[in-house]
Amino acid sequence: MIKTLSRCVRQYRTHSILSAVFVSLEVLMECIIPLYMARIIDLGIEKADLPYVVRTGLLLIGMACLSLTFGVLSGRSAAIASAGFARNLRHDLFYRAQDFSFSNIDHFSTASLVTRMTTDVTNLQNAYMMIIRVAVRSPVMLIFSVAMAFSIHRQLAGYFLLTVPVLGIGLYFIMSRAYPIFNRVFALYDRLNSVVQENLRGIRVVKSFVREDHEREKFNSVSEDIYDSFSRAERLLSFNSPLMMLCMQTCVLCVAWFGAKIIVYSGGTALTTGLLTSLITYAVQMLICLMMLSMVFVMITISRASAKRICEVLNEKIDLADAEDPVTDVPDGSIRFDNVSFSYAGSMDKCCLFHIDLDIRAGETVGILGGTGDSKSTLVQLIPRLYDVTEGSVSVGGVDVRRYDLHALRHAVSMVLQKNELFSGTIRDNLRWGNEDATDEELREVCRLAQADGFISAFPDGYDTWIEQGGTNVSGGQKQRLCIARALLKKPKVLIFDDSTSAVDTRTDALIRQGLQQYLPGATKLVIAQRVSSVQHADKIVILHNGRIQAVGTHESLLRDNEIYRELCYSQQKGGAGHEN
């Protein structure tokens, strides 16, 4: 875990080292000051030597200023290093997530990844700040203070060591019981984020079904669990400060009591008033160091759970990787499924696709029909290698997709997903995801083909109209047409429509299909649809049933020979045409 996290320090290693150096110099000044204070008392005040008091006082002021300067420099370096460390963590987490396959993302969850990039990173940033500053300052000061105390009086300094076992046992008791609670708390944070995201994304559904009370109950339940867990952890941690104060006050009292007796009995020969003052100062410094170290342990306990969760993402093995010598050019859009079986769990006992054999020539239009849960979307997601097959192979352009460079393959395959996604930005920005160098005329051309230019032109700002996150300020049909236009702009060799015209009327659907044939005549087109009218003019239609190919043929041959297709056609003719949402 430490090795993984240390790689994220990178360019801030110098600032981390400087912080430790400056804080050590600050501590050195603070440990020398009590000795000169003792000299002022013993050699200046008691002997009524005012010039000595002034000289030594000025020297103390200089050391105090140096200590302040070193402290400021240490704080600045620590702030830069910890903020940079957190930035690198977020960078590495985000870039790692970008490289994840769908199965890797399924292993975590969207809410969990968000929590890890925010709350968990903040916890580690705070812990790193304390480690490079407080965790360096406290041991250094402890060593210097103990050394100074023993150089003044061994017997009195020995009382300091009696508190160490008490503090050690107390801290172990507190931390060993607090860590499991913090582990549970961060899992609860994932649940809370999930509840909030789900509620905000589906707020229209929540309000239309008047389920606000139900959503409040879900939120309150998770929030109450977090409150209870944190309360238990904080109750344990609250014992830390009283324990430290008890040890500190006991030590100071012992040193003051026995030190005063030594001064009286020896007549000031074995110990002076000034040196006793220094001893008490060192006692306070040592116990403050121990208290600060206990705070570091508390922060490390909290951040340890966060560190574990972050390392899980950074060390997650990506199950999709480029071949050693990847193919970087996709020759054409021909597709072949050769005895393909697939399981999300990676086990042949839990397959959702079974022994798929299918040949698609470049430039063909292929319709895919089937019921809900027949794995139509899963089938086409194997083409751009969003998932890898469990058995068999998928080839594009005569090359197994596992031999392609992933970027090259996905540039050649354009998908309009069932769940269309638009991003916050203008319509122009969203369209240029397909081709960032596209001209305004190219944007209008693909929008005309996707039947989107009409409603875009009707907006006051046209192509500069702002799209809210998720496309919440456009209708379902408008969102689908914008996504189709975005996909066309890539000019792919394989174009996949995953039920992507379900929210448009049949006339618009027909116009879009007609435009596709004109704009990309050489591209292979796969169309998953619920409506027979969307695929009946395809070169071939594939009927999927329970994860298996039940039939392949043209509209006429399937209508004549396939009972499932025939029933689907008749039921839709009776139900009438669709309409736009």
Side-chain angles (χ1 to χ4, degrees):
M1 189 185 298
I2 293 173
K3 183 179 178 182
T4 299
L5 294 176
S6 63
R7 289 197 291 265
C8 296
V9 178
R10 294 200 287 276
Q11 70 268 38
Y12 299 99
R13 198 178 304 276
T14 301
H15 282 289
S16 302
I17 295 170
L18 284 176
S19 175
V21 170
F22 286 135
V23 82
S24 299
L25 294 172
E26 178 191 11
V27 167
L28 180 61
M29 293 295 105
E30 290 182 6
C31 288
I32 293 174
I33 286 172
L35 284 179
Y36 282 89
M37 288 175 62
R39 291 185 180 184
I40 285 180
I41 295 170
D42 294 337
L43 303 177
I45 296 174
E46 289 190 1
K47 294 182 179 181
D49 187 350
L50 184 60
Y52 182 84
V53 171
V54 172
R55 288 196 307 273
T56 309
L58 290 173
L59 184 60
L60 283 172
I61 291 172
M63 285 190 287
C65 290
L66 278 175
S67 177
L68 175 64
T69 303
F70 290 138
V72 169
L73 291 173
S74 172
R76 179 179 178 275
S77 295
I80 293 172
S82 60
F85 173 64
R87 185 180 75 168
N88 288 344
L89 272 179
R90 283 189 293 269
H91 172 279
D92 291 357
L93 284 169
F94 185 79
Y95 275 62
R96 188 68 174 174
Q98 292 296 300
D99 290 335
F100 280 174
S101 67
F102 280 18
S103 59
N104 289 124
I105 294 173
D106 293 342
H107 181 219
F108 300 100
S109 70
T110 304
S112 178
L113 288 171
V114 169
T115 305
R116 292 168 204 243
M117 291 187 198
T118 51
T119 304
D120 289 327
V121 168
T122 300
N123 286 337
L124 281 188
Q125 178 179 349
N126 294 334
Y128 189 69
M129 164 81 84
M130 295 194 77
I131 287 169
I132 62 176
R133 193 148 190 254
V134 180
V136 172
R137 174 190 174 86
S138 297
V140 172
M141 179 169 277
L142 191 62
I143 292 168
F144 278 138
S145 297
V146 169
M148 293 292 190
F150 271 92
S151 69
I152 293 171
H153 199 284
R154 290 176 181 271
Q155 183 183 352
L156 289 178
Y159 290 116
F160 302 153
L161 302 180
L162 297 177
T163 61
V164 175
V166 178
L167 291 172
I169 293 170
L171 282 174
Y172 175 78
F173 175 83
I174 293 169
M175 302 311 164
S176 62
R177 282 157 178 77
Y179 175 68
I181 298 175
F182 284 116
N183 251 341
R184 182 171 181 271
V185 164
F186 292 116
L188 289 172
Y189 269 131
D190 291 346
R191 279 180 54 199
L192 183 68
N193 276 341
S194 180
V195 168
V196 172
Q197 285 182 0
E198 189 177 57
N199 177 268
L200 294 177
R201 280 183 175 273
I203 193 67
R204 289 175 173 79
V205 178
V206 171
K207 290 187 177 297
S208 64
F209 281 87
V210 197
R211 296 287 285 176
E212 290 92 343
D213 289 341
H214 172 72
E215 290 297 305
R216 289 191 189 103
E217 287 176 11
K218 281 168 58 180
F219 177 84
N220 289 336
S221 174
V222 181
S223 184
E224 191 67 26
D225 283 346
I226 292 175
Y227 168 77
D228 290 340
S229 297
F230 254 122
S231 295
R232 288 213 312 275
E234 291 298 333
R235 281 197 296 270
L236 283 168
L237 297 177
S238 65
F239 287 103
N240 182 52
S241 184
L243 179 65
M244 297 299 306
M245 292 303 296
L246 175 65
C247 293
M248 178 189 293
Q249 300 302 341
T250 303
C251 262
V252 170
L253 285 172
C254 288
V255 170
W257 172 260
F258 291 108
K261 289 180 70 174
I262 291 171
I263 291 173
V264 172
Y265 292 152
S266 68
T269 57
L271 187 69
T272 65
T273 304
L275 290 176
L276 178 60
T277 304
S278 297
L279 269 175
I280 293 173
T281 303
Y282 287 129
V284 172
Q285 283 183 345
M286 280 188 284
L287 292 167
I288 288 176
C289 289
L290 291 172
M291 184 179 290
M292 293 169 72
L293 278 175
S294 71
M295 291 170 58
V296 173
F297 286 133
V298 170
M299 181 58 71
I300 289 175
T301 300
I302 295 173
S303 62
R304 182 181 163 195
S306 294
K308 180 182 176 184
R309 287 156 51 82
I310 286 173
C311 287
E312 284 174 353
V313 177
L314 295 178
N315 294 329
E316 173 78 0
K317 184 179 179 181
I318 299 174
D319 53 16
L320 293 184
D322 287 333
E324 291 185 5
D325 186 20
V327 178
T328 56
D329 180 59
V330 181
D332 58 55
S334 61
I335 302 168
R336 175 173 173 76
F337 290 85
D338 186 8
N339 193 34
V340 168
S341 296
F342 176 75
S343 166
Y344 286 101
S347 170
M348 290 299 294
D349 297 331
K350 299 179 180 179
C351 282
C352 54
L353 287 172
F354 302 89
H355 308 298
I356 302 296
D357 286 297
L358 182 64
D359 276 308
I360 302 170
R361 294 193 301 273
E364 277 191 322
T365 299
V366 178
I368 302 175
L369 292 176
T372 301
D374 282 334
S375 302
K376 304 182 296 297
S377 297
T378 302
L379 179 71
V380 296
Q381 286 175 357
L382 299 176
I383 297 170
R385 208 182 165 203
L386 298 179
Y387 293 96
D388 265 342
V389 298
T390 306
E391 184 180 81
S393 65
V394 178
S395 300
V396 174
V399 179
D400 191 318
V401 293
R402 288 169 292 197
R403 290 185 53 208
Y404 278 115
D405 174 81
L406 272 173
H407 291 287
L409 174 65
R410 289 173 184 173
H411 273 302
V413 179
S414 197
M415 287 189 73
V416 185
L417 298 171
Q418 188 175 12
K419 293 182 179 179
N420 296 291
E421 192 69 44
L422 295 175
F423 298 87
S424 54
T426 64
I427 289 177
R428 194 187 310 276
D429 293 336
N430 272 276
L431 291 173
R432 281 185 171 146
W433 274 59
N435 178 4
E436 59 185 22
D437 299 321
T439 64
D440 288 348
E441 183 53 43
E442 288 174 321
L443 296 183
R444 291 191 184 91
E445 182 183 8
V446 294
C447 286
R448 282 193 292 269
L449 292 169
Q451 305 303 305
D453 185 64
F455 73 78
I456 294 174
S457 300
F459 290 142
D461 295 325
Y463 283 80
D464 292 317
T465 299
W466 186 264
I467 298 294
E468 300 295 339
Q469 184 180 8
T472 55
N473 59 332
V474 292
S475 73
Q478 290 171 338
K479 187 190 295 187
Q480 285 189 337
R481 282 175 277 174
L482 287 172
C483 291
I484 291 171
R486 181 174 65 188
L488 292 176
L489 206 57
K490 283 179 68 174
K491 296 183 179 178
K493 294 178 180 177
V494 177
L495 187 57
I496 300 171
F497 294 97
D498 187 355
D499 200 16
S500 51
T501 56
S502 58
V504 300
D505 58 73
T506 50
R507 178 178 175 276
T508 303
D509 185 14
L511 290 172
I512 291 172
R513 283 188 279 108
Q514 182 181 346
L516 290 177
Q517 292 298 335
Q518 296 173 358
Y519 186 67
L520 294 171
T524 304
K525 305 168 193 69
L526 283 80
V527 182
I528 296 175
Q530 300 295 330
R531 293 184 299 218
V532 171
S533 60
S534 297
V535 298
Q536 67 181 20
H537 300 293
D539 297 310
K540 65 176 70 167
I541 299 170
V542 178
I543 307 296
L544 275 180
H545 182 63
N546 292 331
R548 302 175 187 274
I549 292 181
Q550 206 268 345
V552 178
T554 62
H555 171 69
E556 291 76 15
S557 65
L558 291 173
L559 194 62
R560 182 181 63 249
D561 302 329
N562 188 266
E563 184 177 352
I564 294 177
Y565 188 77
R566 203 162 40 241
E567 288 179 359
L568 193 60
C569 288
Y570 291 154
S571 65
Q572 290 188 9
Q573 286 173 0
K574 288 176 66 177
H579 59 87
E580 180 167 1
N581 294 324

